[in-house]
Amino acid sequence: MVGKGHERMNLFTPGPVDMSREAQQAIGRPGLCHHRSEPFRRMMSKLTTLLQAAFLTRGEVVILTSSGTGAMEAAVANLFSSGDKVLVPVSGKFSLRWAEICEAYGVNTARIEIAPGKAPEPDDVVSALEADPAICAVLLTHCETSTGSLTDLEAICRAIHDLELLRSREILIIADCITSLCVDVLRVDDWGIDCAVAASQKGLLSPPGLAFVSLGDRALKRVRTAESPRYYFDFRKYLHTEIPFTPAIPLVSATLASLSHLAGLGPEPVWRANRSGALAIKLLIQAAGMRPVAERQASGVVAFWTGDLDAAEIAHSLEREHGITVAQGQGGLKGRILRVSPIGKGPGALLGFAAAFSSVLEKMSREVDMSSIETELNRLLEDCSIWE
Amino acid sequence: MVGKGHERMNLFTPGPVDMSREAQQAIGRPGLCHHRSEPFRRMMSKLTTLLQAAFLTRGEVVILTSSGTGAMEAAVANLFSSGDKVLVPVSGKFSLRWAEICEAYGVNTARIEIAPGKAPEPDDVVSALEADPAICAVLLTHCETSTGSLTDLEAICRAIHDLELLRSREILIIADCITSLCVDVLRVDDWGIDCAVAASQKGLLSPPGLAFVSLGDRALKRVRTAESPRYYFDFRKYLHTEIPFTPAIPLVSATLASLSHLAGLGPEPVWRANRSGALAIKLLIQAAGMRPVAERQASGVVAFWTGDLDAAEIAHSLEREHGITVAQGQGGLKGRILRVSPIGKGPGALLGFAAAFSSVLEKMSREVDMSSIETELNRLLEDCSIWE
């Protein structure tokens, strides 16, 4: 356990992350605010406005009670019909999920296979789109949470929009921003993302259980015509009407409180704090002689090869001896990598992690040369002080 | 506000209802238990066991992060393929929902139309099944929450099973038990219900956001072969494997705490307390010269005609002057009925409601003759003392 006083900061996993103080206080408040009451309607409306500001969109935002995956499925079911053709660059477990969901809905899915740790490049995407004029959408993953790889969404969106102009095609852009909203720079409208998906338990420092979908005009047009079966996730039930189904009320309170606080801090300081936290962790693992998995590092999670040291043993020691939870690798990466998230972690929590990590590695006869990184680390940690 | 000390008991709506003390304490506990940790796996396993006991089934139980409607859709998507034919008795908003979901999935849906306040009878169901040998399932609603009408599930299940024997047919029985689990007598295995659906925010006295689906052997067989598109709600991902998607962790803690407490009380006392609470409310509204909507009263909610008094005005006065929330009618019943739930309410809360209701009606020049019901009311309230 690291952090100050009663605030246990022990989840260094890339979702859920430790809740903000604001989320924690709100979720513990006694009683439930009925979802058909005026006070709750005002809460939902305020949360929607804050989410629009967080996505940087003037489009609609739908709030769902589900995990982020539910919102990914909702996007597919509301935007496509069986037989539509889409493009999915696959570079890990979470981008693969887009392909799996599309395939479950009978959507014809062209994949670009990308090595773990690498991200799709604008040229790859454009070539695949040029090769098949039937493709009507690209489904992207901003932060591939299995490797910590950040996709250059802005550059890919620009390349797709250029192609749209050149070929008079409409190509919808859908992005999984579950680990990037309020973590990495994201500008939904400026970049021209038609539909972005996010969830409560990452950058929003809130408990898991809520998911969010932004919808621009082109996406809204498709929502009205898509023929995939859907009911609970049918966006038409959520737009411009009464809340259709009983939402997870305490999670709405918690997320609203947390996001209000983040909005007060402002987007740039929040992005910078998470970026600097990620760079601090990267610095630390490099000082331990380990290297990151991602070529282009996302701020939401640093995945790193543990080399000749056993990843599971490091994770278990961190948990057992220091009460710190980190994530292991998934699928083929299990036992070979660890994944550590800096989301919402202030200098105290990060230094606590550094001390615990060094101590665990020392017992495995690996020295972490902290003195060599001290100056740079302290400079990075300054940016993270917004969390304390 | 009625009730003792800090425990505000003000939600007399048929979901969400006020949380139990146990749920409230659990949800406010600081920190999150990571969903891939052993302690959380144990919590999920314990919750599953308690839900099996609550449903009275040895079948599987799937835990979803969604509202009850999500679980209804999950049942349809996992059990049917487009073109299958099913029977839905429709007697209100929630039984209509079964039909709407089936139709959204291209399932051929025969409806039995039933007047509001009435429940489907075994003979109606059997006649409809006899008339169409292609029907492979019946979707029922145990408590129709829009009218407070209780379906005689046991009798209908028996009639269907007799027909199955007589005609060598397999007819799946699916039941919406969202407002009846831990409220009205329900015996999933004894009655031969293949799939029952429930949610956290009613009889379980827990916050909304979790939903549950029981699956017997025949249902499990269909889960393996049904062809409807599904991903987040795909039961195959939940059975016998790691938790597939990040669950709403604080809601799992709260529901586990609350259901553990209910299990300690035992099913019969819980059923009796809610039943007596419903009868107490029915007695009260009858003493006010009003009559219930349902012929066969469910324990989860008492809906009643407000006659020449304006239902909305009564609801608003209860809210404004006494901090008590009740539900109004939906659709065509709006303004004409009120719906009051006794779920989890002890004698203090119910007497508080009675006093508030009498006071509001008095201001509308309607006398409630409390003395005439005093003896019977007190006897009923004794059963409700398990909640205090």
Side-chain angles (χ1 to χ4, degrees):
Chain A
M1 247 98 52
V2 292
K4 293 193 280 189
H6 73 288
E7 286 160 41
R8 294 167 30 157
M9 287 300 233
N10 58 356
L11 290 182
F12 285 78
T13 44
V17 305
D18 292 306
M19 287 187 267
S20 65
R21 199 179 296 122
E22 290 73 20
Q24 183 71 64
Q25 281 166 357
I27 203 171
R29 218 171 285 144
L32 287 170
C33 180
H34 196 274
H35 62 290
R36 303 257 177 258
S37 68
E38 267 317 309
F40 191 77
R41 281 190 198 101
R42 280 195 298 273
M43 284 172 63
M44 284 294 270
S45 155
K46 201 172 163 199
L47 180 56
T48 305
T49 304
L50 287 169
L51 285 165
Q52 287 168 320
F55 278 118
L56 286 169
T57 184
R58 294 176 189 208
E60 302 278 351
V61 173
V62 168
I63 300 171
L64 302 168
T65 296
S66 79
S67 82
T69 302
M72 291 171 73
E73 174 168 0
V76 170
N78 279 278
L79 298 175
F80 304 115
S81 307
S82 173
D84 281 349
K85 188 151 192 185
V86 303
L87 179 68
V88 181
V90 174
S91 59
K93 181 180 166 165
F94 293 95
S95 40
L96 176 64
R97 190 163 284 177
W98 273 135
E100 290 174 348
I101 295 172
C102 288
E103 283 155 10
Y105 276 77
V107 174
N108 200 337
T109 308
R111 300 185 187 191
I112 307 176
E113 301 288 347
I114 295 156
K118 298 203 183 279
E121 295 298 325
D123 285 353
D124 304 339
V125 173
V126 167
S127 303
L129 289 171
E130 286 275 29
D132 192 340
I135 294 174
C136 70
V138 183
L139 293 99
L140 296 159
T141 305
H142 197 188
C143 166
E144 169 54 64
T145 312
S146 66
T147 63
S149 173
L150 185 70
T151 297
D152 189 348
L153 260 188
E154 185 179 11
I156 293 181
C157 288
R158 199 184 308 121
I160 294 174
H161 295 312
D162 284 350
L163 181 75
E164 288 186 296
L165 280 174
L166 191 69
R167 302 288 180 216
S168 295
R169 279 171 73 175
E170 180 174 299
I171 300 160
L172 226 63
I173 302 178
I174 295 119
D176 164 359
C177 300
I178 295 172
T179 311
S180 71
L181 182 70
C182 295
V183 179
D184 273 306
V185 179
L186 171 67
R187 301 180 186 277
V188 165
D189 283 0
D190 281 359
W191 298 353
I193 298 170
D194 296 287
C195 171
V197 166
S200 50
Q201 80 278 16
K202 307 218 179 182
L204 272 50
L205 306 175
S206 300
L210 294 185
F212 317 109
V213 185
S214 84
L215 295 162
D217 286 341
R218 301 199 307 180
L220 286 167
K221 215 169 65 189
R222 290 192 73 104
V223 168
R224 290 192 284 272
T225 56
E227 286 170 6
S228 291
R230 59 201 191 271
Y231 192 89
Y232 178 68
F233 287 139
D234 190 340
F235 294 155
R236 291 168 297 188
K237 297 189 192 299
Y238 292 82
L239 296 164
H240 322 292
T241 55
E242 181 73 65
I243 301 156
F245 311 116
T246 316
I249 296 168
L251 307 185
V252 172
S253 309
T255 307
L256 175 58
S258 198
L259 189 50
S260 299
H261 178 67
L262 293 178
L265 296 173
E268 279 82 6
V270 167
W271 290 332
R272 197 182 316 120
N274 285 320
R275 166 119 306 244
S276 292
L279 294 179
I281 290 169
K282 195 169 154 182
L283 208 59
L284 176 72
I285 62 112
Q286 285 171 327
M290 296 171 177
R291 60 191 177 81
V293 177
E295 266 184 10
R296 195 162 180 272
Q297 183 60 56
S299 303
V301 57
V302 179
F304 53 96
W305 304 102
T306 55
D308 51 341
L309 298 186
D310 184 44
E313 195 184 331
I314 299 174
H316 292 147
S317 298
L318 282 169
E319 180 81 53
R320 217 175 26 240
E321 292 157 29
H322 304 274
I324 283 175
T325 310
V326 298
Q328 298 200 44
Q330 297 158 309
L333 298 173
K334 200 167 175 144
R336 301 166 61 206
I337 69 166
L338 286 179
R339 295 177 300 139
V340 176
S341 171
I343 297 174
K345 297 293 187 282
L350 288 166
L351 284 173
F353 175 79
F357 185 71
S358 303
S359 147
V360 164
L361 259 55
E362 208 163 289
K363 288 192 185 161
M364 296 168 88
S365 310
R366 170 75 55 97
E367 208 67 49
V368 184
D369 183 6
M370 291 296 287
S371 64
S372 69
I373 60 169
E374 206 184 328
T375 316
E376 208 176 344
L377 189 64
N378 285 335
R379 198 181 50 71
L380 289 168
L381 293 185
E382 270 175 38
D383 291 334
C384 306
S385 59
I386 65 161
W387 302 126
E388 284 188 348
Chain B
M1 250 98 48
V2 293
K4 292 193 279 190
H6 73 287
E7 287 160 42
R8 294 164 31 155
M9 287 301 232
N10 59 355
L11 290 182
F12 285 77
T13 43
V17 306
D18 291 305
M19 286 188 266
S20 65
R21 197 178 298 123
E22 291 72 20
Q24 182 71 64
Q25 281 166 357
I27 203 172
R29 216 170 286 144
L32 289 169
C33 179
H34 196 274
H35 62 292
R36 303 257 177 256
S37 69
E38 267 318 307
F40 191 77
R41 281 190 197 100
R42 280 196 298 275
M43 284 172 63
M44 284 294 270
S45 155
K46 202 173 162 196
L47 179 56
T48 305
T49 305
L50 286 168
L51 285 165
Q52 288 169 320
F55 277 118
L56 287 168
T57 183
R58 294 178 188 205
E60 303 279 351
V61 172
V62 168
I63 300 171
L64 302 169
T65 296
S66 79
S67 83
T69 302
M72 291 172 73
E73 174 167 1
V76 170
N78 280 277
L79 298 174
F80 304 115
S81 306
S82 173
D84 281 349
K85 188 151 192 185
V86 303
L87 178 67
V88 181
V90 174
S91 60
K93 180 179 167 166
F94 293 95
S95 39
L96 176 63
R97 190 164 286 179
W98 273 135
E100 289 174 349
I101 295 171
C102 288
E103 284 155 10
Y105 276 77
V107 175
N108 198 337
T109 308
R111 300 185 185 191
I112 307 176
E113 301 289 346
I114 296 156
K118 298 203 183 278
E121 295 298 325
D123 284 353
D124 304 338
V125 173
V126 166
S127 302
L129 289 171
E130 286 275 30
D132 192 341
I135 293 173
C136 70
V138 183
L139 293 99
L140 297 158
T141 305
H142 196 189
C143 166
E144 170 54 63
T145 311
S146 65
T147 63
S149 173
L150 186 70
T151 298
D152 189 347
L153 259 189
E154 185 179 12
I156 294 180
C157 287
R158 199 185 307 118
I160 294 173
H161 295 311
D162 284 351
L163 180 75
E164 286 186 296
L165 280 173
L166 191 69
R167 303 287 180 215
S168 296
R169 279 171 73 175
E170 181 175 298
I171 300 159
L172 225 63
I173 301 178
I174 295 118
D176 164 359
C177 300
I178 295 172
T179 311
S180 72
L181 183 71
C182 294
V183 180
D184 273 306
V185 179
L186 170 68
R187 301 178 187 279
V188 165
D189 283 0
D190 281 1
W191 298 353
I193 298 169
D194 297 287
C195 170
V197 166
S200 51
Q201 80 278 18
K202 308 219 180 184
L204 272 48
L205 305 176
S206 300
L210 294 184
F212 317 110
V213 185
S214 84
L215 295 162
D217 285 342
R218 301 199 306 181
L220 286 167
K221 216 170 63 190
R222 290 192 72 104
V223 168
R224 289 191 286 272
T225 57
E227 286 169 7
S228 292
R230 56 199 191 274
Y231 192 89
Y232 179 67
F233 286 140
D234 190 340
F235 294 155
R236 291 168 297 189
K237 297 190 191 300
Y238 292 81
L239 298 163
H240 322 294
T241 54
E242 181 73 62
I243 301 156
F245 311 114
T246 316
I249 297 168
L251 307 184
V252 171
S253 308
T255 307
L256 176 57
S258 197
L259 190 51
S260 299
H261 178 68
L262 293 178
L265 296 173
E268 280 82 7
V270 167
W271 291 331
R272 197 182 317 119
N274 285 320
R275 166 119 306 245
S276 292
L279 295 178
I281 290 169
K282 194 170 156 181
L283 209 59
L284 176 72
I285 62 112
Q286 285 171 326
M290 295 170 177
R291 60 190 176 79
V293 177
E295 266 184 11
R296 194 161 180 272
Q297 183 59 56
S299 303
V301 58
V302 180
F304 53 96
W305 303 102
T306 54
D308 50 345
L309 298 187
D310 183 45
E313 194 184 331
I314 300 174
H316 292 148
S317 297
L318 282 169
E319 181 81 53
R320 216 175 26 239
E321 291 157 29
H322 304 274
I324 284 175
T325 310
V326 299
Q328 299 200 44
Q330 298 157 307
L333 298 173
K334 197 163 179 150
R336 301 167 60 206
I337 69 167
L338 287 177
R339 297 177 299 138
V340 176
S341 172
I343 298 174
K345 297 294 187 282
L350 288 166
L351 285 173
F353 174 79
F357 186 70
S358 304
S359 148
V360 164
L361 261 56
E362 209 162 290
K363 287 191 186 161
M364 296 168 88
S365 310
R366 171 73 56 94
E367 207 66 51
V368 184
D369 183 6
M370 291 295 288
S371 64
S372 69
I373 59 168
E374 204 184 333
T375 315
E376 208 177 342
L377 190 64
N378 285 334
R379 197 182 49 70
L380 289 168
L381 294 185
E382 270 175 37
D383 291 334
C384 307
S385 59
I386 65 162
W387 301 127
E388 286 187 348

